[in-house]
Amino acid sequence: MESIRGKTPLQLTTDEFSRRVAGYKNIWLDLGTGDGRFVRHMSTQNREDFFIGLDACRENLREHSRDCPANALYLIASAQSLPAGLDGLAAQITINFPWGSLLHGLLDGDLALLDGLARVARPNAELTIRLNGGALAEAGWALEAGTWRVYERLQSAGFNVQQPRPLDAAGLRACPTTWARRLAYGRDPRGWLLSARISVNLIENLKIDTQMFV
Ligand SMILES: C[S@@+](CC[C@H](N)C(=O)[O-])C[C@H]1O[C@@H](n2cnc3c(N)ncnc32)[C@H](O)[C@@H]1O
């Protein structure tokens, strides 16, 4: 898998990756991590867990990946084709304020994305998604309708989703990402939060489906 530190790309073998994450209590995976601020913040607050930030775009990651803590790692990959080395590892998966193909994948129930989430999840992992109006408007959806659309797509794919909850300016300020901060202090400080559990059944069904196509 391809990692990045500052401007320098680094190919990590499966063994090297396994050594990096060994011994930590939980592994967090932040998809569409942007500049990686969330991973940076969370990894310095919680040294018992390991935090992985993944994004398709390398440029934004330069600053935070340059001197990231030992319990953090940044990967370059598409959320639609997550590295196989992550399989079965993530206890917490976050997607904060997605746009572009990541948001479209959620709105369309793209199987490459949703199956990938179930594949990298530990049994009973928690998936947390935060959505904002600007990105949804660009994708052709109003904030609340787009949120319910993602809810329905997750639900019908077998994720155990809770009712969406609105995020106000205080809720956005409490989320340590660059976009949350921009939104919190911007003209329309609103978002929605979706939480879901990825059950053992969903993960097992995915394995059966995958084996049928091998
Ligand atoms: C609005 S930014 C949010 C960044 C960060 N999560 C935050 O809250 O500050 C959306 C991010 O999603 C990434 N992204 C979009 N589509 C993606 C995909 N298919 N796979 C991985 N990352 C993607 C973009 O490169 C961008 O960094």
Side-chain angles (χ1 to χ4, degrees):
M1 56 184 94
E2 184 183 355
S3 163
I4 190 156
R5 189 171 267 255
K7 286 184 188 170
T8 313
L10 184 74
Q11 286 298 332
L12 272 186
T13 64
T14 311
D15 282 353
E16 285 164 343
F17 174 74
S18 303
R19 271 199 297 277
R20 284 287 309 269
V21 302
Y24 287 95
K25 201 165 156 196
N26 292 302
I27 295 179
W28 292 59
L29 179 61
D30 186 42
L31 298 178
T33 201
D35 65 2
R37 185 170 180 268
F38 181 77
V39 163
R40 169 102 204 178
H41 176 91
M42 296 294 286
S43 59
T44 50
Q45 298 290 309
N46 182 353
R47 301 284 182 179
E48 289 190 334
D49 290 352
F50 194 93
F51 294 82
I52 301 171
L54 180 146
D55 205 285
C57 173
R58 66 192 64 233
E59 279 73 26
N60 295 341
L61 280 168
R62 282 183 185 160
E63 186 191 332
H64 288 301
S65 68
R66 191 170 294 134
D67 58 348
C68 73
N71 61 330
L73 177 71
Y74 293 101
L75 298 177
I76 306 300
S78 158
Q80 279 83 350
S81 81
L82 295 172
L86 299 176
D87 287 5
L89 290 183
Q92 295 282 345
I93 303 173
T94 46
I95 305 180
N96 292 316
F97 312 106
W99 67 22
S101 61
L102 185 51
L103 179 57
H104 280 283
L106 293 170
L107 289 164
D108 299 343
D110 177 5
L111 288 182
L113 176 64
L114 300 187
D115 284 358
L117 295 178
R119 178 166 58 75
V120 298
R122 245 194 223 176
N124 219 23
E126 185 171 22
L127 169 67
T128 305
I129 301 173
R130 295 181 177 87
L131 298 166
N132 67 292
L136 278 165
E138 271 180 32
W141 288 86
L143 176 59
E144 199 166 338
T147 302
W148 281 101
R149 165 75 173 201
V150 174
Y151 170 92
E152 282 157 16
R153 293 279 125 177
L154 291 172
Q155 187 90 306
S156 54
F159 291 74
N160 195 351
V161 204
Q162 290 175 20
Q163 297 275 304
R165 280 184 286 141
L167 283 171
D168 59 10
L172 290 166
R173 278 198 301 274
C175 175
T177 86
T178 295
W179 271 94
R181 182 174 288 189
R182 268 187 211 174
L183 293 165
Y185 295 102
R187 259 186 302 162
D188 185 16
R190 288 181 308 137
W192 282 83
L193 174 75
L194 280 163
S195 300
R197 286 276 166 199
I198 304 178
S199 68
V200 183
N201 282 351
L202 176 57
I203 296 169
E204 289 305 319
N205 288 345
L206 170 74
K207 281 187 193 151
I208 293 165
D209 288 351
T210 312
Q211 281 158 7
M212 281 169 62
F213 289 102
V214 171

